[in-house]
Amino acid sequence: MNFPVALAFLVLLFAFTFFAIHNEQTDPYMDEIFHIPQAKQYCQGNFSHWDPMITTLPGLYLMSVGILVPVGKALGVQTDFVCSVLWLRSVNLLFAIGNFYVIYAIMCKLHQKGKIEPKIIVTALTLSLLPLLFFFNFLYYTDVGSTFFVLFMYLLHLQGNKALASLVGIIAIMFRQTNIIWVVFMAGLTARKLIVDWFKEISGSGYQRKSLKEHSNLSRSSQPSEDNDVTLFQIVKLLSKPPQNKELNLMYLIFNILKSSACNIMIILGFLVFVYVNQGIVVGDRSHHTASLNFPQLFYFISFTAVFAFPYIVTPGKIYNFLTSFKQISSYVKAFMFVTISFLLIHYFTYVHLYTLSDNRHYTFYIWSRLYSRHYVVKYLLIPVYMYSYWSFSTLLNTNSHTDEIWKTVFGICLIAATVPQKLLEFRYFIIPYLIFRLNIRPGSWVQLWTEAMLYIAVNFLTIYLFVNKPFKWENSSDVQRFIW
């Protein structure tokens, strides 16, 4: 399969699914009842109007106006026509196609396509069909555009265009305020590269002045090679020995990090000003979007990852390696610590949002009511599953030289910031961290790739089928309800 064929397939699939959904649900549905009227106000030039029920910044509406109004003028049709439900939803199709290209470009940059280009194309096509992302391609939600601009920012960062990446980061924040986390992620990656380069320069030069004999032990223990990662321990060890050359001074490193991350730092500072002036990160209705320390969100994310990346997470070889890793007492100590900490986090920090318990249109309602709520002990019995999934998750990231301990630390911090404060169990919050994880693991075997693709296709088919063919009504309402992620 080559890129044009994959693109053509995706365009046809998106178009067919789009019209299948729109023909059944022509009116705004769920959060669209807020987003679409707001976009129409902007289309009419009324930028002072704001629906207080909307909690995100107006990036989606501004982008829609910037795309649709010029199209309407070019076609000679009225603004009301191009700002209809159909046309507004179609904006996300542009972002969906953009996501496919950006995912492909990131994979090429991270894994040096060469002989594995066919696998990269299939991976990009498959990740474009990620069920959470795929479904919202066809409704007027912020998720698809938000994902596109975060991934586009990541691509520009990998290409070394940090200024433009920062500009795209601002657009991403305008779609969703929480995307500031991924601006921080880019700053962290910049710092990681400078730290690794600094470490290599120091450890490789023997501080450029001291004798080889004096530093032979350091060179053997901490000299990185193409096959070895730079560990945090090695960096701390070097920091304990003051360099003699001022150009290798720690302060010089810090200055370099600040200079290279200046654009991202300015965005972060500007965002902090916004939070201070706005008295919070949420705009509009805050009653159902209060922050909490919902640490079990990390376990929900790792479970989400285990399901949608199961051809990589759950393999006979990985299960065998996991079980046979318990050969030393230290392994049992680590397992005991994981279980203990997990138990405490689940016991003291589990929060259940009202929407999770009451809205039976969402799949999370059924997952919670039929799994986690079946018996109070279930959430504790899942800890071994979380432990294995986390171990497999981490070992997959170990397969690439660029996803070293520093990278994983930066990603881990951003993952915690993106999930833990959320009281609501909402799978859409997992889209971006999942894609970043998935993009940074090596393309698997053809069996893994096609198994993953078939899983996504099957889930998407079921989701669209239920949405289109299984509507229902509530007892106290005449409105048609549909199942949704």
Side-chain angles (χ1 to χ4, degrees):
M1 179 181 291
N2 56 35
F3 186 86
V5 171
L7 178 61
F9 168 79
L10 208 59
V11 169
L12 290 175
L13 179 62
F14 285 169
F16 175 81
T17 309
F18 177 82
F19 286 108
I21 286 179
H22 186 75
N23 288 340
E24 289 295 326
Q25 185 65 44
T26 55
D27 296 327
Y29 184 66
M30 293 287 286
D31 289 0
E32 285 185 323
I33 64 174
F34 309 117
H35 294 311
I36 288 178
Q38 182 63 52
K40 288 183 176 181
Q41 290 288 335
Y42 276 32
C43 283
Q44 297 298 331
N46 185 9
F47 295 100
S48 62
H49 176 272
W50 187 257
D51 188 334
M53 293 301 293
I54 295 174
T55 60
T56 54
L57 293 171
L60 177 61
Y61 321 128
L62 293 171
M63 191 65 64
S64 300
V65 171
I67 295 172
L68 295 179
V69 171
V71 169
K73 290 182 179 179
L75 296 177
V77 298
Q78 295 182 348
T79 301
D80 288 344
F81 177 78
V82 293
C83 287
S84 63
V85 176
L86 173 68
W87 282 79
L88 287 170
R89 286 175 175 172
S90 69
V91 169
N92 273 341
L93 291 182
L94 299 177
F95 293 134
I97 298 299
N99 279 327
F100 169 63
Y101 173 76
V102 172
I103 289 170
Y104 168 77
I106 291 173
M107 290 288 292
C108 290
K109 191 70 178 177
L110 290 174
H111 304 290
Q112 299 178 350
K113 55 182 184 178
K115 294 181 179 180
I116 67 168
E117 183 174 10
K119 289 186 176 181
I120 289 178
I121 293 172
V122 172
T123 301
L125 181 62
T126 300
L127 293 181
S128 300
L129 301 179
L130 178 67
L132 268 296
L133 189 62
F134 179 81
F135 181 83
F136 289 101
N137 288 338
F138 314 110
L139 297 178
Y140 194 62
Y141 274 56
T142 60
D143 302 88
V144 184
S146 170
T147 301
F148 170 75
F149 285 109
V150 170
L151 293 181
F152 189 28
M153 172 177 61
Y154 189 24
L155 174 62
L156 292 169
H157 170 85
L158 292 173
Q159 293 174 340
N161 197 338
K162 293 183 174 59
L164 187 55
S166 299
L167 178 61
V168 173
I170 295 174
I171 300 174
I173 294 169
M174 290 296 293
F175 272 70
R176 274 199 171 170
Q177 297 93 299
T178 51
N179 286 336
I180 185 64
I181 294 165
W182 306 111
V183 174
V184 174
F185 180 65
M186 300 307 148
L189 295 188
T190 299
R192 173 208 164 266
K193 185 178 186 306
L194 291 171
I195 290 170
V196 170
D197 290 345
W198 171 83
F199 173 85
K200 289 180 178 180
E201 188 174 358
I202 289 181
S203 62
S205 64
Y207 299 118
Q208 296 185 342
R209 299 299 177 198
K210 293 193 174 183
S211 67
L212 179 62
K213 181 178 179 181
E214 185 177 352
H215 289 285
S216 60
N217 292 333
L218 174 63
S219 299
R220 283 195 297 268
S221 63
S222 60
Q223 171 71 30
S225 66
E226 293 182 358
D227 298 322
N228 295 323
D229 296 335
V230 176
T231 67
L232 293 174
F233 174 76
Q234 291 170 335
I235 291 172
V236 171
K237 186 174 181 179
L238 274 182
L239 288 176
S240 66
K241 299 178 179 295
Q244 301 300 311
N245 190 320
K246 65 179 181 179
E247 293 182 352
L248 299 178
N249 192 277
L250 177 60
M251 294 303 296
Y252 182 78
L253 169 66
I254 295 173
F255 173 78
N256 245 355
I257 291 173
L258 294 175
K259 182 177 70 172
S260 298
S261 305
C263 292
N264 288 330
I265 292 172
M266 290 176 63
I267 295 173
I268 294 167
L269 293 175
F271 187 81
L272 292 176
V273 172
F274 158 76
V275 172
Y276 176 78
V277 173
N278 188 56
Q279 297 183 343
I281 192 173
V282 176
V283 298
D285 179 35
R286 304 179 186 182
S287 59
H288 296 293
H289 294 83
T290 56
S292 63
L293 290 177
N294 193 359
F295 286 105
Q297 287 276 24
L298 294 171
F299 303 130
Y300 308 147
F301 171 77
I302 206 70
S303 301
F304 175 92
T305 301
V307 170
F308 288 106
F310 98 87
Y312 303 90
I313 296 286
V314 185
T315 65
K318 276 192 166 48
I319 295 173
Y320 175 79
N321 290 337
F322 175 73
L323 294 176
T324 56
S325 66
F326 292 93
K327 292 181 178 179
Q328 299 177 345
I329 294 180
S330 60
S331 299
Y332 288 96
V333 172
K334 291 178 182 178
F336 176 77
M337 291 177 61
F338 184 94
V339 171
T340 302
I341 294 172
S342 299
F343 179 89
L344 294 173
L345 292 178
I346 292 171
H347 187 75
Y348 290 106
F349 294 97
T350 295
Y351 296 96
V352 187
H353 198 284
L354 176 64
Y355 290 168
T356 304
L357 298 173
S358 61
D359 196 337
N360 67 344
R361 294 171 295 183
H362 292 283
Y363 294 147
T364 48
F365 170 86
Y366 299 97
I367 292 173
W368 193 268
S369 62
R370 297 181 182 180
L371 179 62
Y372 289 98
S373 295
R374 184 168 291 276
H375 195 280
Y376 80 92
V377 78
V378 169
K379 56 188 177 183
Y380 303 113
L381 293 177
L382 290 172
I383 290 176
V385 177
Y386 300 148
M387 182 167 62
Y388 168 78
S389 299
Y390 170 77
W391 176 87
S392 185
F393 179 95
S394 183
T395 55
L396 281 169
L397 288 176
N398 288 340
T399 59
N400 282 324
S401 59
H402 66 273
T403 52
D404 54 21
E405 285 189 15
I406 304 175
W407 191 99
K408 289 192 289 186
T409 300
V410 173
F411 178 70
I413 292 171
C414 292
L415 175 61
I416 291 170
T419 57
V420 169
Q422 307 288 352
K423 190 174 183 180
L424 177 64
L425 173 55
E426 172 60 83
F427 291 146
R428 290 183 293 147
Y429 301 152
F430 300 158
I431 292 175
I432 292 175
Y434 175 81
L435 286 175
I436 291 177
F437 157 75
R438 183 63 186 83
L439 289 168
N440 280 279
I441 65 175
R442 293 180 183 275
S445 66
W446 281 111
V447 172
Q448 290 174 312
L449 288 171
W450 288 116
T451 301
E452 182 183 38
M454 292 303 104
L455 169 66
Y456 289 9
I457 290 171
V459 173
N460 286 331
F461 176 83
L462 179 61
T463 304
I464 302 302
Y465 174 81
L466 291 175
F467 184 88
V468 171
N469 296 301
K470 296 296 180 179
F472 61 97
K473 292 184 179 181
W474 289 335
E475 292 182 1
N476 59 347
S477 173
S478 59
D479 295 335
V480 173
Q481 309 298 334
R482 299 179 186 276
F483 296 108
I484 192 174
W485 277 105

